[in-house]
Amino acid sequence: MTTADPTALPAASGAVAAPARPARKLTGRLGVGSIVFMVIAAAAPLTVVGGGFPVGALLGDGIGAPTMYLVGGAILLFFAVGLSTMSNYVPRPGAFFTYVGYGLGRPLGLAAAWLAILTYTTVQVAVYGYVGAVMSGYVVSLHGPTLPWFLYSLAMVAIVGLLGYRHIELSGKVLGVFLVCEIGVVLVLAGAVVATGGAEGLSVAPFNPTNVMSGAPALALMFALAGFIGFESTAIYRDEAKDPQKTIPRATYASLIIIAVFYTFASWALVMGIGPSHLMSELAKDPSAFIGTVTARYLGPVGGWIVNTLMITSMFACVLSFHNVITRYQHSMSNASVLPTALGKVHKTHRSPHASSIVQTITAAVLMIAFALFHLDPVLQVFTWFSGISTFAIVVLMGLTCLAVIAYFTAKKIKAGLWKTWIAPVIGFLGLAVVAVIIAQNFPLLIGDADAKGNPVFGTLTVTFLALMAAFPVFGIVQALVIKARKPAAYKNVIDTISTIEE
């Protein structure tokens, strides 16, 4: 049975009034620019262009890979329409789990919450592992000492934890500086390629349908979508935004469009820089060294050194941004009575979820130590395995959110426009469903579970990780049912006290 929320306006008005300010609410005056900085930093543009694109092109459709960033951006744009609309009618932080809870019911809301925690935690530790390996090699290349990768990872965890403990605006400023630098060097490189005419002349070969559909375009799309993880986190900063009703939707669209255009242009420039006919042979040598090779050719050794340095700062910006996202998810879940009360505390001076930040820092450190004790390779295992999990999970979360948007506006009979509440979310859901099927079929490749010929195999490793993924949302559903049975009053407070559709 559905109960009315005393703070809500009648459904016919098409809006839900903001609730009274809770005692543990985060505050801030983040503008569109600050949120966009943090979101794009989470996407790690230089890391995607220098690391994700070469692998996607090598395993996917070769020179046609740049187009997949446009395709991925288009799919996510339909998703963003529903996400932005929902953020105006459900004025609360929490993003995925809040929206799914409002649209599909509390049990699925908590399932989405735990799946989101898994998503952002795995992508964060994946990058921690990768940056540890990169920094270890980077220091050696500068004639420094040879140290284990996990020491660099732990140092990064500590620095991120310190920044995450303080006010969000400090993180925004740090991310802004790093983001400008990494985008700037890529644009300089792309400008040099365009100015010189590239290796074989400038062309639109990467957008030729024949090239786009060559090889394995499904794999290329999968890697392209992985580069967008983080853009959807704008809603989690709602309580810290200057004008949430305008800031959150604008930041969401701006982040997505900037990311899609940047990835497409930068990857096209790299293809032109090496030459379409030489792309695959160059990638086959070492995809991780590809952007350095192109940079050295057009910007010289100094340019190559700068790019390698900014790759590290790009990954740092990525983990810092995801740290902020995870701590705010935990904070919102605490205030929704599904995590310990302590995680919802807000620092008196920094106005940050400091307790949640400390827990997340400890979690990341413990995982890094565990990976080291099990002698896992930071790139081939830590990065590959956990980025595979996060990619699959985020697509499932987005698909659930599209369904939640449709269900919410249909049940509440809110007239917010057919395009925003039905057409765009349906198109977004269908696109994400197709991608989810593609990822499921190729999931073994994401975590390196393949036979001698490189074909995906659903072996022990794949089954273990899929079971892990399933365990998180199942735990959320069970938790909701347990709370409902044992503490009916507390159950009504789950998903920020407002009832969802009839259960």
Side-chain angles (χ1 to χ4, degrees):
M1 179 178 180
T2 302
T3 57
D5 171 27
T7 68
L9 295 176
S13 70
V16 177
R21 180 190 178 95
R24 306 194 306 170
K25 184 176 181 180
L26 294 169
T27 59
R29 293 188 56 78
L30 295 176
V32 173
S34 295
I35 296 178
V36 168
F37 271 136
M38 286 185 285
V39 169
I40 297 180
L46 183 56
T47 302
V48 172
V49 172
F53 164 69
V55 176
L58 180 63
L59 301 179
D61 56 355
I63 65 174
T67 300
M68 291 306 173
Y69 290 111
L70 290 179
V71 175
I75 293 174
L76 296 181
L77 191 59
F78 289 112
F79 161 78
V81 171
L83 182 75
S84 297
T85 304
M86 195 76 162
S87 71
N88 284 332
Y89 287 85
V90 180
R92 306 175 190 272
F96 286 133
F97 94 85
T98 302
Y99 299 161
V100 173
Y102 273 64
L104 302 178
R106 295 177 181 86
L108 284 180
L110 288 190
W114 284 106
L115 192 57
I117 290 293
L118 175 68
T119 299
Y120 295 124
T121 299
T122 51
V123 71
Q124 186 188 45
V125 298
V127 178
Y128 272 133
Y130 195 93
V131 73
V134 171
M135 289 183 68
S136 179
Y138 182 70
V139 171
V140 171
S141 71
L142 297 177
H143 308 291
T146 301
L147 298 175
W149 66 269
F150 62 86
L151 293 181
Y152 292 101
S153 296
L154 289 173
M156 191 72 77
V157 169
I159 297 172
V160 168
L162 179 62
L163 288 172
Y165 185 90
R166 298 176 65 82
H167 196 283
I168 186 66
E169 290 180 359
L170 177 59
S171 293
K173 293 175 181 177
V174 172
L175 292 173
V177 172
F178 286 150
L179 186 62
V180 169
C181 290
E182 63 179 283
I183 289 180
V185 73
V186 174
L187 292 179
V188 170
L189 173 59
V193 171
V194 172
T196 59
E200 300 172 356
L202 304 180
S203 71
V204 293
F207 310 108
N208 185 310
T210 301
N211 294 327
V212 173
M213 299 308 296
S214 64
L219 283 177
L221 178 59
M222 184 170 59
F223 279 101
L225 279 174
F228 287 89
I229 294 178
F231 97 90
E232 76 293 335
S233 63
T234 51
I236 203 70
Y237 298 107
R238 182 178 185 86
D239 283 347
E240 296 159 283
K242 184 184 302 182
D243 183 1
Q245 292 289 103
K246 296 179 180 179
T247 301
I248 299 303
R250 289 175 181 175
T252 302
Y253 288 123
S255 300
L256 178 58
I257 293 172
I258 291 173
I259 290 171
V261 172
F262 179 79
Y263 286 167
T264 303
F265 174 66
S267 57
W268 168 83
L270 289 177
V271 174
M272 296 298 104
I274 204 68
S277 65
H278 295 92
L279 177 67
M280 296 305 287
S281 60
E282 192 64 39
L283 290 176
K285 295 178 183 178
D286 183 4
S288 65
F290 177 68
I291 190 170
T293 300
V294 178
T295 303
R297 177 180 296 187
Y298 289 89
L299 301 181
V302 175
W305 177 83
I306 292 175
V307 165
N308 289 332
T309 302
L310 289 178
M311 279 285 286
I312 295 175
T313 62
S314 173
M315 287 183 278
F316 168 74
C318 175
V319 290
L320 174 57
S321 185
F322 277 121
H323 176 91
N324 288 330
V325 171
I326 297 169
T327 56
R328 280 150 184 78
Y329 249 99
Q330 292 175 163
H331 175 270
S332 295
M333 290 172 69
S334 172
N335 288 336
S337 304
V338 295
L339 278 180
T341 304
L343 292 179
K345 292 181 179 179
V346 175
H347 197 281
K348 294 181 179 179
T349 302
H350 301 305
R351 307 306 302 166
S352 65
H354 64 293
S356 179
S357 178
I358 292 173
V359 169
Q360 175 53 30
T361 301
I362 294 173
T363 300
V366 169
L367 287 172
M368 289 300 107
I369 294 172
F371 297 153
L373 291 176
F374 281 99
H375 303 288
L376 297 184
D377 184 281
V379 177
L380 299 180
Q381 293 175 313
V382 176
F383 178 75
T384 303
W385 292 355
F386 292 98
S387 61
I389 292 175
S390 62
T391 301
F392 197 178
I394 196 70
V395 171
V396 173
L397 277 170
M398 289 179 179
L400 279 175
T401 303
C402 286
L403 291 178
V405 170
I406 298 169
Y408 177 80
F409 286 104
T410 299
K412 297 296 183 181
K413 295 181 173 58
I414 297 175
K415 296 181 180 180
L418 193 61
W419 168 254
K420 294 181 179 180
T421 62
W422 183 260
I423 298 176
V426 167
I427 296 174
F429 172 76
L430 293 175
L432 290 166
V434 171
V435 173
V437 172
I438 292 172
I439 294 178
Q441 293 174 338
N442 293 278
F443 187 75
L445 293 179
L446 280 176
I447 60 174
D449 203 357
D451 59 22
K453 296 182 179 180
N455 299 315
V457 175
F458 284 80
T460 303
L461 190 61
T462 298
V463 172
T464 299
F465 278 119
L466 290 177
L468 175 65
M469 282 185 58
F472 274 74
V474 168
F475 176 81
I477 293 174
V478 172
Q479 183 185 36
L481 296 179
V482 169
I483 294 175
K484 182 178 183 180
R486 295 183 177 180
K487 301 177 181 179
Y491 182 73
K492 293 181 180 180
N493 291 328
V494 173
I495 313 299
D496 294 314
T497 74
I498 292 182
S499 297
T500 57
I501 58 175
E502 287 191 1
E503 298 170 314

